[in-house]
Amino acid sequence: VKSGGRGAYRLFDQAMRERQAMRRLIERDMHLAMEDGQFVMHYQPQIDLASGKLIGVEALVRWRHPERGFISPVEFISVAEESGLIGPLGEWILTRSCLDAAQWGGIKVSVNISPVQFREPAFAAKISRILSETELFPWLLDLEVTEGVLISDTEKVLDIVLLLKKLGIGLSLDDFGTGFSSLRYLQKFPFDKLKIDRSFVRDINSDVKDAAIIRAAISMGRTMGLRINAEGVETEDQMDQLSAMGCDEVQGFFYSRPVPAEDIPALIDTDFPI
Ligand code: C2E
Ligand code: CA
Ligand code: CA
Ligand code: CA
């Protein structure tokens, strides 16, 4: 038993070391990747369930590594946050997304903002500068934040949020339902949109509890004047159920995977199934 325990520990230790080595590689390569243009933005369509039209897209960053192929943002965003690279990377993501959206004439772009980025000094001023540099109307930009952004320094964060709202941009609460105290934040911060996490959408047709949570979120959001987006819609049955519940908009593989910017114009006049 004792040696088994040590064996298990050795395995764990080795996995930890490999993980750390991987993170160091990612950190080292990220500097180069920025200059070399290895990051690209993809955009996932957001469909209005009332009209079946494209109303916006979520901007999702991809890293095309020359040797390791596509690396998931789940792997490199946290490394970027820890190493300080999220500053320049986040600015590039925002600029690229706003430049692309400015070409689409009326389609909104939602950009994910990490907690570290949000707390940068003069974050609101940076957004304002990027909007004027890219000539994007502020109402076409939406920032997606998770509870992680709001959890500490609440008053300071509220000040930043109010500055952003004054610019006229939209604010969405991402991954709703996965945290611990979303309801307090919904009351305190002036969100425009609530994004229901895909873990609730997955079993919406079979799990009465997941369905009940979504129904409650939609009802509450409606009362608070929020738009409701459901993520991770993969089947027509999920879409039908969400539509029947009064969900405003959806995104997911049923409609489209995230696609390159040049694929978006063709989707603007498409009638999606609703
Ligand atoms: P997220 O913000 O919740 O983004 C949605 C994720 O769900 C995306 O994964 C998207 O490709 C995936 N997805 C969309 N529809 C479906 C579906 O129908 N089924 C399933 N199974 N998945 C679906 P992705 O692009 O790998 O991004 C993962 C996470 O990485 C994002 O989660 C976000 O937290 C972070 N991320 C991505 N891009 C950025 C970025 O530009 N900046 C920051 N700060 N974080 C980003
Ligand atoms: Ca998001
Ligand atoms: Ca999400
Ligand atoms: Ca239908």
Side-chain angles (χ1 to χ4, degrees), residues 44 58 60-62 73 93 112 174-175 198 232 234 252-253 258:
Q44 183 173 44
E58 177 174 6
L60 296 157
V61 67
R62 270 87 185 91
I93 289 169
N112 292 285
D174 201 1
D175 301 344
R198 70 167 179 273
E234 296 183 353
F253 297 167

Side-chain angles (χ1 to χ4, degrees), residues 56-116:
V57 297
E58 177 174 6
L60 296 157
V61 67
R62 270 87 185 91
W63 180 2
R64 250 184 332 218
H65 193 283
E67 286 127 41
R68 269 172 276 159
F70 275 98
I71 301 177
S72 161
V74 179
E75 283 186 63
F76 66 81
I77 291 289
S78 64
V79 179
E81 286 177 343
E82 285 160 23
S83 64
L85 265 170
I86 194 69
L89 177 62
E91 175 152 0
W92 178 84
I93 289 169
L94 274 159
T95 305
R96 186 69 259 162
S97 302
C98 291
L99 278 173
D100 286 337
Q103 303 300 307
W104 298 329
I107 297 298
K108 286 182 142 207
V109 68
S110 286
V111 180
N112 292 285
I113 303 296
S114 86
V116 180

Side-chain angles (χ1 to χ4, degrees), residues 118 149-151 153-159 161 171 184-192 226:
F118 205 87
V149 168
L150 317 170
I151 225 151
D153 298 328
T154 304
E155 294 308 319
K156 190 179 144 200
V157 169
L158 186 57
D159 286 344
V161 164
L171 193 70
R184 174 60 68 206
Y185 296 130
L186 272 186
Q187 185 212 40
K188 189 160 177 112
F189 291 90
F191 285 106
D192 302 288
L226 302 170

